Each structure stands twice: as structure tokens, then as C-alpha cells.
Amino acid sequence: MAMSFTTLMGDKSTEGSIKYYVRHSEVPSASILESAQGYIYSKLRTREMKKLLAGVTIASGDTAIALPADFQDPISLWLDRDYKQALSILDEEHFEERVDRDSSGNLYQGTPCQCTMDATTIYLDVAADQTYYYRMWYYATPAALSVSNETNWLTARYPQLLEAICKAYAYRHREDDASADKWLQIGVATIEDANAQYDQFQQTIRQEAYWSRP
């Protein structure tokens, strides 16, 4: 039976449901599925999680950009169109070492070249001296499974991963720590294998190591 939201939410007699996995009718399937997805998406990094934000702008005078609500981790950030260049994404220590402010504490104006990030915001190294278009590739949190989103690439490509982590949370709810630990270990191993496959994929497409923009 193909994995879907409806199947996962089924009763104990429904093959493939969370209740069926642990043979118990009193587990909170909805919260278990939510927790399992959150755990998986915080650890997994595959090409299906890549997303492009394009056609957006940094307004003149801006010193920061709001991150998308589904943002997990950055891949790359570029100014676009007439001012094509990559922005270096720095940790906060190196960012502060390289940023200058005037006597009033304001950033000088210029073309953004570097940035850093916290949970919600990209901080630029200058106040933009004009409007700039930018493009950002990043790892995004996929839309959660629901009545209106029955399946996704996780249920299609990694059903064994979602099953393992759902079992881990369901058994933890039942206070069966031995079974919970067993299935969490299986899930973590599956995540590590998927991430390793993605790393290998990344290596195969990086063929122009010494290419530079003319």
C-alpha cells in the first residue's frame, strides 16, 4: 500500500497507519506525524529540499532581508541582473570584523558583498545604495502532509524513513524506550545514507571547479 496522509492517520486495523505500526489505538497520530516530519526535515538534506527565491529585490537603504518562512539552510546568495555577483555568507564573528559603521552607528552605503544570518534575517554589510535584484538558493522545509497534501517526495522516495521516525515517536509516546531507540537508530541511519547519496550527487555535478565569470 502506498504511503499517504490518510493511510498514516488510519485506525489500528489500517495497514500502514501509525496506530498499525505500534499495534495500539491510543497514540496521537497527528502530533506524531508532525514531530516526525519536523525531525526528518531538520536532519535531511537532499535535492528535493532545494528551492530558488528569484525576482526579489533589496530596496535602496536596506541593511537586512527577511528570510522565507520555510528557510532551513543557505546554499548561495547572488546579486542579479546588472550587478551579478555572489554575496559571501559569513559567520557573525567574521562579518563583524569586516563591517564598518559611521560615528552614529550606521552602515555606510554601497553594493552588498557580504552577509550573515540568524533565524529570520539576512544582515548586509552595507546599506544598499540603490535597488538590487537578488537570487537565493536554499534548503526549504517542505509543506507538511495533510488532507490537502496527501503525498510528497518523502512518502514516494523515503517511505521507510518516515515509517521509522513515526515508529520512534509512537513508541516513545507509549513509553517503550527500547523500541523507540531502535527505530530512531534505523531512521538516523537512513538519513545519513540519503545525505551521503546527495553528497555524491553534488560531487558529480561539480565539473567546472576552475571556471570563473569573465
Side-chain angles (χ1 to χ4, degrees):
M1 179 181 294
M3 180 178 282
S4 69
F5 176 80
T6 295
T7 300
L8 288 165
M9 292 297 101
D11 60 27
K12 190 176 72 170
S13 64
T14 301
E15 183 178 352
S17 71
I18 293 172
K19 291 180 172 67
Y20 179 88
Y21 289 158
V22 295
R23 305 300 193 271
H24 201 277
S25 61
E26 299 301 322
V27 293
S29 298
S31 62
I32 286 169
L33 180 58
E34 181 180 359
S35 296
Q37 290 177 97
Y39 180 87
I40 290 168
Y41 294 142
S42 72
K43 306 291 184 183
L44 193 65
R45 293 294 178 269
T46 68
R47 63 180 179 270
E48 291 88 353
M49 295 179 72
K50 284 184 173 182
K51 190 171 181 178
L52 173 63
L53 180 66
V56 287
T57 60
I58 304 167
S60 180
D62 279 357
T63 60
I65 309 167
L67 286 169
D70 61 356
F71 181 88
Q72 285 269 13
D73 284 313
I75 299 173
S76 66
L77 178 60
W78 286 76
L79 296 186
D80 198 20
R81 304 193 184 185
D82 294 335
Y83 300 92
K84 183 82 170 182
Q85 68 176 40
L87 273 70
S88 298
I89 303 172
L90 307 175
D91 62 52
E92 61 276 8
E93 180 178 355
H94 290 90
F95 178 78
E96 291 298 337
E97 284 180 355
R98 301 180 189 189
V99 170
D100 292 320
R101 295 177 176 83
D102 62 23
S103 58
S104 299
N106 298 314
L107 291 172
Y108 292 104
Q109 288 197 332
T111 302
C113 297
Q114 300 168 115
C115 67
T116 194
M117 301 178 181
D118 63 14
T120 61
T121 306
I122 301 171
Y123 298 95
L124 304 173
D125 58 340
V126 296
D129 59 359
Q130 63 181 61
T131 297
Y132 293 94
Y133 282 89
Y134 71 93
R135 295 165 61 89
M136 181 171 67
W137 286 95
Y138 65 100
Y139 293 105
T141 302
L145 293 171
S146 66
V147 173
S148 60
N149 187 35
E150 282 279 347
T151 61
N152 62 11
W153 56 266
L154 187 61
T155 60
R157 189 175 179 194
Y158 300 107
Q160 73 281 13
L161 169 57
L162 185 54
E163 177 181 341
I165 300 301
C166 283
K167 284 180 176 179
Y169 277 96
Y171 278 119
R172 193 76 69 194
H173 175 80
R174 294 194 61 195
E175 300 182 350
D176 183 348
D177 290 339
S179 295
D181 291 343
K182 168 191 169 182
W183 285 105
L184 181 61
Q185 185 176 6
I186 291 170
V188 168
T190 306
I191 289 171
E192 290 175 349
D193 181 62
N195 286 346
Q197 290 181 37
Y198 173 66
D199 288 342
Q200 185 175 13
F201 165 75
Q202 285 291 92
Q203 292 301 318
T204 64
I205 63 175
R206 288 176 181 165
Q207 299 177 0
E208 295 185 307
Y210 301 101
W211 182 89
S212 61
R213 187 176 176 83

